């Protein structure tokens, strides 16, 4: 959903104020994409930039460089420079909602999503939502702007229904996370001897009635990635943990990408195209810290982020068919 003033043909609003060109671009992109499913759009983006890299936009205020400190919205100013530096290597951007949950943060997030769309890059909001009734429906309004979202399945299918019903939007269900504490629940053995995370994958597969479900599966345990892929051969994965967390890039590509077949899933992407995302956040967006935080070479700071995104793309592409 596009918000803001209606653009006139001379790049002015009806009140006469100029409207940013990138927001005009967003209008055309949004109109073109309204009838497309998320995995269609993602597949086209992957093919266009030859990349499955998801860039996590987690603008930790304590780590932002001095060059954005005096901006009206420092997180937005930072994200804009990161997007400028990385968009040609990005299949998707993944802002984590935790870094935006205040008044200025929501403004920064809205600007970030619009700007990414202006670069023709889809946005996956990492929010890990999941609740019941009116609360879930309200959480799902985030998909009015973002193209996809991460959700928490702990409260069951009815808590995710408002998200799953948005058939043009992607819904990535938490399955096996890369944090050490994830094992507290996710590794619990069920009566059939299998771990809980495999059952989550099986259930998520049954929720995929509209072809819009994916899984979040961490990259730090390649064997588990392989096991989950056997359970759900057709669901795309969002694979975090490649980067600062030291995940396995080869396993992330081998098991994280799903070859989706239009003949069997007409709302998805053409057969033979591996669709999925491998995410890096800190390893890309703060790569410029070595260039000298607070030093005058701000271009070098953001150039380092672009170089980090390119290196990850090239590293992952070694393992793509």
């Amino acid at each position: 959903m596009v918000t803001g003033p209606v653009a006139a043909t001379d790049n002015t609003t009806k009140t006469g104020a100029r409207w940013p060109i990138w927001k005009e671009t967003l209008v055309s992109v949004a109109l073109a994409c309204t009838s497309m499913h998320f995995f269609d759009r993602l597949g086209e983006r992957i093919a266009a930039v030859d990349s499955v890299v998801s860039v996590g936009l987690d603008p930790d205020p304590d780590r932002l460089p001095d060059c954005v400190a005096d901006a009206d919205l420092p997180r937005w100013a930072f994200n804009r420079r990161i997007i400028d530096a990385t968009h040609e290597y990005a299949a998707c951007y993944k802002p984590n909602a935790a870094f935006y949950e205040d008044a200025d943060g929501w403004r920064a997030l809205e600007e970030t999503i619009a700007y990414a769309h202006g670069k023709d890059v889809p946005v996956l909001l990492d929010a890990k939502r999941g609740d019941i009734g009116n609360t879930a429906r309200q959480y799902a309004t985030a998909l009015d702007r973002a193209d996809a979202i991460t959700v928490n399945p702990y409260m069951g299918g009815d808590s995710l229904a408002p998200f799953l019903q948005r058939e043009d939007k992607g819904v990535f269900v938490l399955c096996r996370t890369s944090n050490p504490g994830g094992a507290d629940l996710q590794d619990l053995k069920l009566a059939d001897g299998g771990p809980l995370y495999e059952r989550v994958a099986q259930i998520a597969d049954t929720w995929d009635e509209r072809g819009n479900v994916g899984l979040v599966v961490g990259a730090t345990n390649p064997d588990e990635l392989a096991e989950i892929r056997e359970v759900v051969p057709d669901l795309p994965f969002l694979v975090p943990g490649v980067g600062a967390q030291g995940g396995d890039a080869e396993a992330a590509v081998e098991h994280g990408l799903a070859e989706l077949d239009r003949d069997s899933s007409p709302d998805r992407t053409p057969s033979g195209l591996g669709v999925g995302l491998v995410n890096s956040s800190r390893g890309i967006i703060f790569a410029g810290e070595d260039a000298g935080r607070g030093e005058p070479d701000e271009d070098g700071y953001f150039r380092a982020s672009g170089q980090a995104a390119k290196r990850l793309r090239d590293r992952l592409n070694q393992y793509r068919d």
Side-chain angles (χ1 to χ4, degrees):
M1 184 178 80
V2 180
T3 60
V6 177
T9 56
D10 62 350
N11 192 35
T12 61
T13 69
K14 287 185 176 181
T15 61
R18 290 188 63 80
W19 209 37
I21 293 175
W22 60 266
K23 285 194 174 181
E24 288 188 347
T25 304
L26 170 61
V27 172
S28 62
V29 171
L31 290 174
C33 292
T34 51
S35 62
M36 294 181 67
H37 289 254
F38 172 73
F39 288 112
D40 282 308
R41 301 199 300 276
L42 181 60
E44 288 186 357
R45 180 65 187 176
I46 289 170
V49 295
D50 191 25
S51 176
V52 293
V53 171
S54 165
V55 178
L57 297 176
D58 303 349
D60 184 343
D62 293 334
R63 295 182 69 175
L64 298 184
D66 290 347
C67 60
V68 301
D70 294 331
D72 178 46
L73 296 172
R75 284 165 287 186
W76 154 232
F78 178 77
N79 286 350
R80 179 170 184 164
R81 294 295 301 271
I82 292 293
I83 292 171
D84 286 341
T86 62
H87 68 89
E88 61 187 300
Y89 313 115
C92 188
Y93 286 109
K94 185 182 74 67
N96 190 309
F99 293 94
Y100 302 92
E101 292 187 330
D102 58 75
D104 284 349
W106 292 124
R107 290 173 56 209
L109 179 60
E110 183 173 355
E111 295 290 346
T112 296
I113 293 173
Y115 195 66
H117 284 167
K119 298 290 188 182
D120 203 25
V121 187
V123 176
L124 193 174
L125 181 62
D126 190 359
K128 302 179 180 70
R129 303 300 194 203
D131 214 315
I132 57 175
N134 289 337
T135 308
R137 287 191 289 275
Q138 188 62 35
Y139 278 144
T141 62
L143 289 172
D144 292 344
R145 292 178 174 83
D147 305 288
I149 195 167
T150 60
V151 296
N152 189 329
Y154 195 77
M155 294 180 68
D158 61 331
S159 70
L160 303 185
F163 304 94
L164 298 169
Q165 289 165 1
R166 302 287 293 269
E167 61 182 307
D168 60 326
K169 304 292 187 175
V171 182
F172 286 86
V173 178
L174 288 178
C175 178
R176 184 64 175 103
T177 59
S178 55
N179 62 303
D184 295 346
L185 293 177
Q186 296 163 20
D187 284 357
L188 291 176
K189 298 299 182 184
L190 303 181
D192 63 3
L196 179 60
Y197 64 79
E198 286 190 2
R199 180 64 60 83
V200 169
Q202 293 168 347
I203 293 173
D205 199 30
T206 69
W207 292 335
D208 192 33
E209 297 176 353
R210 298 172 179 82
N212 62 345
V213 172
L215 294 179
V216 180
V217 183
T220 51
N221 191 320
D223 292 338
E224 292 175 351
L225 261 171
E227 291 169 7
I228 296 169
R229 176 52 72 204
E230 289 185 7
V231 172
V232 286
D234 298 324
L235 294 186
F237 293 173
L238 165 65
V239 185
V242 175
Q245 298 178 56
D248 189 309
E250 182 175 5
V253 171
E254 180 180 355
H255 305 301
L257 308 185
E259 292 190 1
L260 305 177
D261 189 340
R262 185 177 294 278
D263 292 335
S264 60
S265 301
D267 52 357
R268 283 185 161 180
T269 57
S271 176
L273 176 64
V275 174
L277 294 167
V278 180
N279 186 78
S280 176
S281 300
R282 291 166 289 169
I284 291 176
I285 67 174
F286 296 123
E289 288 181 340
D290 290 339
R293 187 175 179 186
E295 295 296 323
D297 186 15
E298 70 178 72
D299 289 340
Y301 184 101
F302 294 103
R303 186 164 54 248
S305 294
Q307 292 166 346
K310 181 180 185 299
R311 283 195 301 271
L312 180 57
R313 183 203 63 178
D314 294 346
R315 178 182 166 203
L316 296 173
N317 280 356
Q318 296 179 56
Y319 307 114
R320 293 175 63 203
D321 292 333

